[in-house]
């Protein structure tokens, strides 16, 4: 398939101005200020976008692709996320993981769902393990999973500072992080440990201990949900000065909650001058969003939606923040952390994962690996078992 996108304002994520973009064989093959010379009969699609913004496809680095939940019994397990739920949010690459339920859900089923999404045209990867130690693995070890199973990028989401965790010790986590790092060196993969942070008082203590007492590089230690408490976010921001990437979750925050929305966290991070390349935003799509009392009793529960990612992007752009400063948290920063070298940018030779924003900063068109999944706000490609075709 060959596609010509005329007169798009390209944010790659850097601002390239008004350009014409040619896509062929799933790759971006030309970005130019002059219309590429190509026989019109060869074009699958040819559209003039009249200056609308073209951005890289969003990378959702934390999603429960097989579903999450289960904190209130088996009936509370969230089902797997449908293909169109990703593309409606402008997500063209997703990283799946296991959470609280790493027993009835497995790394095996996670890898299988990665392959299913790939067969449907989406780029997908995953982590091995889950909340608890011993980790749920496919081959019996973290190092072997990362080395031998191509889609597995690292370990996640390993829970700390949470009553639902296995209360891991320093030595246990240090060994896991060391194995992940070495496996990353052997393969060129990310080799990171993606930490679920609960709202416990210990906060980032374990990560700080690892930085101070081991030789494990800071980039290996990647905390998420850092915006669930304001004090936790303050701790996380300091980690970025040491080389850690931090991830915030695009979940709803009530007025009486001690937390920050992803948009507010981004604004605060930027205003305080922390390293802009060490900040990412993910959706927790398909995962549960429970609220517990001091005794660990569930008060109420919602679940994460991938659309929260595009809604956060819109909120930031609507607030007047510069597009090229906002986009990296959803695209190139994630790709750099995860070592996804063909993702996160609009660049000749890289994968044609592209999103067109309408004039209100909503997701209009979505191309994944050179194939249109959405056009004019309408889904063109659905997953095999979606009921709303």
């Amino acid at each position: 398939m060959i596609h010509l996108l005329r007169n798009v304002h390209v944010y790659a994520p850097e601002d390239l101005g008004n350009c014409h973009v040619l896509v062929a064989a799933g790759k971006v093959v030309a970005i130019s200020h002059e219309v590429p010379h190509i026989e019109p009969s060869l074009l699958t699609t040819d559209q003039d976008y009249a200056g609308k913004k073209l951005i890289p496809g969003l990378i959702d680095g934390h999603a429960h692709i097989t579903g999450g939940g289960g904190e209130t019994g088996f009936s509370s397990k969230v089902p797997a996320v449908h293909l169109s739920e990703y593309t409606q949010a402008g997500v063209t690459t997703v990283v799946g993981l296991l959470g609280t339920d790493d027993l009835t859900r497995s790394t095996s089923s996670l890898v299988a769902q990665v392959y299913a999404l790939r067969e449907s045209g989406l780029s997908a990867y995953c982590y091995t393990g889950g909340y608890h130690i011993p980790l749920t693995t496919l081959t019996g070890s973290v190092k072997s999973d990362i080395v031998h199973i191509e889609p597995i990028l690292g370990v996640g989401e390993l829970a700390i500072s949470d009553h639902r965790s296995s209360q891991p010790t320093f030595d246990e986590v240090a060994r896991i992080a060391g194995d992940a790092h070495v496996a990353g060196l052997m393969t060129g993969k990310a080799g990171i440990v993606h930490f679920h942070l609960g709202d416990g008082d210990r906060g980032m203590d374990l990560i700080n201990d690892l930085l101070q007492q081991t030789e494990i590089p800071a980039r290996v230690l990647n905390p998420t949900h850092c915006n669930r408490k304001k004090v936790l976010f303050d701790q996380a921001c300091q980690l970025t000065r040491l080389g850690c990437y931090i991830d915030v979750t695009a979940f709803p925050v009530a007025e009486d909650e001690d937390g920050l929305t992803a948009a507010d966290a981004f604004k605060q991070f930027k205003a305080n001058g922390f390293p802009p390349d060490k900040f990412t935003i993910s959706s927790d799509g398909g995962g549960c969003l429970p609220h517990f009392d001091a005794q660990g009793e569930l008060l109420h529960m919602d679940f994460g939606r991938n659309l929260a990612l595009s809604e956060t992007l819109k909120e930031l752009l609507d607030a007047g923040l510069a597009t090229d400063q906002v986009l990296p948290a959803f695209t190139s920063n994630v790709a750099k952390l995860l070592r996804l070298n063909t993702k996160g940018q609009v660049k000749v030779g890289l994968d044609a994962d592209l999103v067109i924003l309408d004039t209100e900063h909503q997701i209009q068109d979505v191309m994944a690996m050179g194939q249109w999944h959405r056009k004019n706000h309408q889904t063109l490609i659905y997953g095999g078992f979606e009921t709303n075709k």
Side-chain angles (χ1 to χ4, degrees), residues 7-294:
N7 296 313
V8 283
H9 191 147
V10 178
Y11 289 90
E14 63 274 15
D15 187 350
L16 301 184
N18 205 65
C19 300
H20 310 283
V21 176
L22 185 65
V23 170
K27 301 288 185 180
V28 175
V29 298
I31 303 172
S32 64
H33 295 292
E34 302 294 329
V35 178
H37 295 289
I38 184 168
E39 172 59 43
S41 63
L42 297 176
L43 292 173
T44 308
T45 62
D46 180 354
Q47 183 168 346
D48 191 326
Y49 281 95
K52 288 182 178 177
K53 292 180 180 179
L54 181 147
I55 65 173
L58 307 188
I59 304 174
D60 195 342
H62 180 118
H64 293 268
I65 63 175
T66 57
E71 276 90 343
T72 60
F74 295 113
S75 63
S76 66
K77 293 174 65 173
V78 182
V81 179
H82 292 303
L83 174 70
S84 67
E85 294 180 64
Y86 299 113
T87 54
Q88 286 172 15
V91 172
T92 56
T93 301
V94 63
V95 182
L97 39 68
L98 300 176
T100 309
D101 181 4
D102 48 14
L103 182 63
T104 70
R105 303 184 195 271
S106 67
T107 301
S108 176
S109 63
L110 199 61
V111 171
Q113 184 66 3
V114 163
Y115 288 133
L117 290 171
R118 289 182 177 186
E119 288 179 4
S120 299
L122 204 72
S123 296
Y125 303 87
C126 64
Y127 293 116
T128 188
Y131 266 30
H132 307 111
I133 299 173
L135 296 175
T136 300
T137 63
L138 188 57
T139 65
S141 81
V142 164
K143 190 183 299 184
S144 180
D145 273 13
I146 297 171
V147 169
H148 295 297
I149 311 300
E150 178 269 322
I152 295 178
L153 303 178
V155 177
E157 55 175 319
L158 179 58
I160 60 175
S161 300
D162 195 306
H163 67 92
R164 294 167 293 171
S165 77
S166 54
Q167 309 307 314
T169 66
F170 172 86
D171 288 342
E172 287 175 323
V173 177
R175 178 62 59 84
I176 290 168
D179 284 350
H181 173 52
V182 171
L185 294 177
M186 293 173 65
T187 58
K189 295 181 182 180
I192 63 172
V193 181
H194 187 64
F195 288 98
H196 163 99
L197 265 295
D199 55 11
D201 291 339
R202 287 178 290 178
M204 300 286 180
D205 288 353
L206 185 52
I207 294 177
N208 278 309
D209 289 345
L210 291 167
L211 290 171
Q212 294 169 12
Q213 299 178 41
T214 75
E215 295 75 37
I216 297 167
R219 68 166 301 278
V220 173
L221 310 175
N222 177 226
T224 188
H225 310 321
C226 297
N227 53 322
R228 70 185 315 144
K229 291 177 66 177
K230 292 175 182 176
V231 65
L232 189 68
F233 184 65
D234 291 341
Q235 294 170 1
C237 289
Q238 296 304 321
L239 291 177
T240 64
R241 297 200 188 280
L242 302 176
C244 291
Y245 287 74
I246 65 170
D247 186 60
V248 301
T249 307
F251 45 45
V253 177
E255 290 185 5
D256 59 344
E257 283 188 68
D258 178 26
L260 296 165
T261 66
D264 285 343
F266 178 90
K267 294 174 188 175
Q268 183 173 313
F269 189 87
K270 181 177 182 295
N272 288 320
F274 291 104
D277 63 331
K278 297 295 189 291
F279 185 96
T280 65
I281 303 175
S282 62
S283 74
D284 207 7
C288 66
L289 302 176
H291 294 266
F292 298 95
D293 64 18

